[in-house]
Amino acid sequence: MNLIPEPTKERLLTLMRLLEKNSPAAGRAAGKTAVTSAELEALTGWSSQTIRKDISCLGGCLGDESRGSPGKLGSNAGYTAENLVPLIKRALGLDHPRRFCIAGLGRLGSAYLNVRFFEAGEFELCAGFDTNVNRVEILKSPAPLYPAYKMEEVIRRFSIEIALLCVPGDAAQAVGERLAAAGIRGILNFAPVALNLPPELAVRNVNVADELRALAMKINV
Amino acid sequence: MNLIPEPTKERLLTLMRLLEKNSPAAGRAAGKTAVTSAELEALTGWSSQTIRKDISCLGGCLGDESRGSPGKLGSNAGYTAENLVPLIKRALGLDHPRRFCIAGLGRLGSAYLNVRFFEAGEFELCAGFDTNVNRVEILKSPAPLYPAYKMEEVIRRFSIEIALLCVPGDAAQAVGERLAAAGIRGILNFAPVALNLPPELAVRNVNVADELRALAMKINV
């Protein structure tokens, strides 16, 4: 699946989200009516040629059992939201549960303890960590919470892959390094600092303060 | 200030953030030592030519009292973090307090009630709203909280410009429309849906679930 180009992956991700949430096709009876690439063009703004090419990549990423009906993927008869979403999920590696943890259980981190991301099975919260033992003991959580010194041990024991980094800015780099050393492969960084970590570790930044500034800049008179 | 091109604005915003937080220059004694465009190049990865051009835009946006020393902005002697940050803030319209509110005080919205965005004076939380009157009464908050039916009245009374939209997905479009009608000019949308609002209203989306999927996609084997 590494053969799918990055831009195609990004488009497939967006397409999947649109099909799941906003598409007229998703509202159809049982979703079984075909969606044509022209309809997907109207939905996404990308050319139907691009969409057909992106979707044709899915063919190359499927296991043998799916290769039996290659005609369906390339045909003009269209796709159905019902068959397209699972195909995309599989090609992007989103079809098996990914384990994540939350490092830092302050206001934001503890808020995310109880947010459910997507339907059951896509992401699984396995642990939360904080240096404040009191927080660890009193917070309500669907997953077990641990004092920060147990972080490495718990991440390894449960093969946790992803971490939401919600610690204060001045602790973020050090905690990021501990997560990396413990085997975490992707970090969603909420701390307002740029992390300097090994390149094989994927990092995405969510910085609400920056977003607020960008918004303020946009609405200037 | 509308004459600054959008890409330049985005770069100036990033540059300001780097100067404030991460730059070696920021750590210098009292920040009074000059920073050269070559140093800024190393910090940002943009060419020193781009940086000089971006910074030269600040000259055109300054008030008369600052025009007295135009040589400083274009010279090779460098800038100081101390003078550059206020100049950028001013050019981007970030030098006066912007009033914002939070619509929806569930887990995420109430977490943001107590997050301080930047130093005092840049953003001012003026109000929080929720349909659940119980929440409005018991939540701890540095700003007054109101039942949702008072939203329009409060936004107009305090001339609130920006809203953090933290309501559930199925309520987001309707609340977004009410915010627009009440005079809100920018929305930071945390709800997992695309908003369809008048184009003059600026919207930025913060979707943690999408970020999580993008991260999972990146770390596939």
Side-chain angles (χ1 to χ4, degrees):
Chain A
M1 65 189 67
N2 282 325
L3 298 175
I4 304 183
E6 280 304 317
T8 294
K9 281 187 182 176
E10 295 280 347
R11 281 194 298 269
L12 287 171
L13 191 64
T14 306
L15 184 59
M16 176 173 71
R17 184 162 48 91
L18 290 169
L19 285 171
E20 282 178 333
K21 284 179 198 157
N22 296 317
S23 100
R28 289 179 193 171
K32 277 174 189 155
T33 316
V35 199
T36 65
S37 46
E39 285 176 294
L40 294 178
E41 179 176 342
L43 193 65
T44 58
W46 309 319
S47 76
S48 57
Q49 199 191 354
T50 301
I51 293 169
R52 271 198 300 271
K53 215 172 144 192
D54 285 349
I55 292 179
S56 74
C57 286
L58 297 177
C61 331
L62 299 174
D64 283 338
E65 73 273 30
S66 308
R67 291 229 174 97
S69 53
K72 248 166 82 185
L73 285 172
S75 81
N76 284 325
Y79 326 96
T80 67
E82 232 177 20
N83 66 19
L84 212 45
V85 169
L87 285 181
I88 297 175
K89 267 196 184 164
R90 187 165 168 186
L92 300 182
L94 300 172
D95 59 341
H96 59 283
R98 311 300 288 248
R99 293 180 169 180
F100 74 100
C101 64
I102 301 179
L105 302 171
R107 288 195 180 95
L108 202 58
S110 60
Y112 281 118
L113 277 180
N114 293 290
V115 173
R116 290 199 51 185
F117 300 103
F118 303 111
E119 62 204 60
E122 195 161 335
F123 291 95
E124 185 192 350
L125 176 65
C126 292
F129 305 101
D130 202 287
T131 48
N132 183 330
V133 181
N134 196 30
R135 267 186 203 159
V136 165
E137 280 171 3
I138 63 170
L139 277 173
K140 274 192 186 176
S141 164
L145 306 181
Y146 305 89
Y149 71 84
K150 290 198 173 170
M151 203 160 69
E152 288 83 352
E153 177 202 331
V154 172
I155 288 172
R156 287 205 189 93
R157 195 192 326 152
F158 295 107
S159 305
I160 299 174
E161 289 180 296
I162 295 174
L164 270 58
L165 184 56
C166 301
V167 301
D170 54 9
Q173 177 63 32
V175 177
E177 287 170 14
R178 284 179 60 190
L179 292 169
I184 285 290
R185 299 178 57 217
I187 291 180
L188 205 49
N189 176 32
F190 290 82
V193 293
L195 300 176
N196 183 11
L197 295 172
E200 65 273 19
L201 196 145
V203 176
R204 289 183 75 98
N205 298 296
V206 178
N207 192 321
V208 174
D210 279 356
E211 292 291 331
L212 207 51
R213 269 188 174 169
L215 199 59
M217 190 176 83
K218 265 193 182 177
I219 62 173
N220 269 334
V221 251
Chain B
M1 68 189 68
N2 282 323
L3 297 176
I4 305 183
E6 279 305 317
T8 294
K9 281 187 184 177
E10 296 280 347
R11 280 193 299 267
L12 287 171
L13 192 63
T14 305
L15 184 59
M16 176 172 71
R17 183 161 49 90
L18 289 170
L19 285 171
E20 283 178 333
K21 284 178 198 158
N22 297 317
S23 98
R28 291 178 193 174
K32 275 172 189 157
T33 316
V35 198
T36 65
S37 44
E39 285 176 293
L40 294 179
E41 180 177 341
L43 194 64
T44 59
W46 309 319
S47 77
S48 58
Q49 198 190 357
T50 301
I51 292 169
R52 272 199 299 272
K53 215 172 145 193
D54 285 348
I55 292 178
S56 74
C57 285
L58 297 176
C61 330
L62 299 173
D64 284 337
E65 72 273 30
S66 308
R67 291 230 173 95
S69 53
K72 246 168 80 182
L73 285 172
S75 79
N76 284 327
Y79 326 97
T80 68
E82 230 177 24
N83 66 18
L84 211 45
V85 169
L87 286 180
I88 297 176
K89 268 197 182 163
R90 188 164 168 186
L92 299 182
L94 299 173
D95 58 341
H96 57 284
R98 311 299 288 249
R99 295 181 169 181
F100 75 101
C101 64
I102 301 179
L105 302 171
R107 289 196 178 94
L108 202 58
S110 61
Y112 282 118
L113 276 180
N114 294 289
V115 173
R116 289 199 55 186
F117 300 103
F118 304 111
E119 63 205 60
E122 194 161 335
F123 291 94
E124 185 191 352
L125 176 65
C126 291
F129 305 100
D130 201 289
T131 48
N132 183 330
V133 181
N134 196 32
R135 268 187 203 159
V136 165
E137 281 171 2
I138 63 170
L139 276 173
K140 275 193 186 177
S141 165
L145 305 182
Y146 305 90
Y149 71 86
K150 290 198 173 168
M151 202 161 70
E152 287 83 353
E153 178 201 330
V154 172
I155 287 171
R156 286 206 188 90
R157 196 193 324 153
F158 296 107
S159 305
I160 298 173
E161 290 181 295
I162 295 174
L164 270 57
L165 184 56
C166 300
V167 301
D170 53 8
Q173 178 62 30
V175 177
E177 286 169 14
R178 285 178 61 189
L179 292 169
I184 285 288
R185 300 177 57 219
I187 291 179
L188 204 49
N189 176 32
F190 290 83
V193 293
L195 300 176
N196 184 11
L197 294 172
E200 65 272 21
L201 197 144
V203 176
R204 289 182 75 97
N205 298 296
V206 179
N207 192 322
V208 174
D210 280 356
E211 292 291 331
L212 207 50
R213 269 188 176 171
L215 199 58
M217 188 176 83
K218 266 193 185 178
I219 63 172
N220 269 333
V221 249

